[in-house]
Amino acid sequence: QVQLVESGGGLVQAGGSLRLSCTASGLTFSSFYMGWFRQAPGKEREFVTGISRSGGSTYYADSGKGRFAISRNNAKNTVYLQMNSLNAEDTAVYYCAASNWVGPKRLEEYDYWGQGTQVTVSS
């Protein structure tokens, strides 16, 4: 059974930082492209960033460019999202997801999802 478990969310002041983690089990982690999505209240889930199987390639949506950094440790079956200079617009539930596709950015291209972790940025 595949499980993706996110952690690291919480309440942070505007301008602060958080590091999210997502640990996978039940799959060959290094064989999957990993992504982070987020869903704010009343909005659709949106792509934030993704990382290739080896970690050598990353892609960021405009919302996170220059502020967010994705990384992975295949030995620990874990993907990370470092978020800096947070603002109120970053408030959302953050989800990690695993994909068999190459460079996926759409929800339907992801095969497995975590339950999400809440990030709240106070202004």
Side-chain angles (χ1 to χ4, degrees):
Q1 180 182 358
V2 175
Q3 280 193 313
L4 302 178
V5 180
E6 301 97 336
S7 61
L11 176 64
V12 62
Q13 288 188 331
S17 300
L18 279 177
R19 187 194 195 204
L20 307 183
S21 300
C22 170
T23 300
S25 60
L27 52 73
T28 304
F29 182 73
S30 59
S31 297
F32 285 82
Y33 187 99
M34 298 300 295
W36 285 96
F37 288 74
R38 68 185 184 183
Q39 188 166 16
K43 295 187 176 181
E44 295 186 348
R45 194 171 300 188
E46 63 177 5
F47 175 81
V48 176
T49 180
I51 188 167
S52 64
R53 291 157 178 79
S54 68
S57 297
T58 57
Y59 183 83
Y60 296 89
D62 288 344
S63 58
K65 284 181 180 177
R67 300 187 301 126
F68 294 177
I70 188 172
S71 61
R72 67 189 294 165
N73 184 330
N74 286 345
K76 294 185 177 181
N77 286 3
T78 301
V79 61
Y80 305 96
L81 178 61
Q82 176 68 44
M83 303 187 293
N84 301 321
S85 301
L86 288 162
N87 57 60
E89 288 69 40
D90 296 316
T91 294
V93 178
Y94 284 72
Y95 299 89
C96 73
S99 174
N100 275 304
W101 289 62
V102 176
K105 301 178 185 66
R106 299 182 302 171
L107 275 72
E108 57 267 29
E109 293 173 330
Y110 283 80
D111 303 283
Y112 303 105
W113 291 84
Q115 292 299 306
T117 185
Q118 176 70 46
V119 171
T120 303
V121 184
S122 63
S123 55

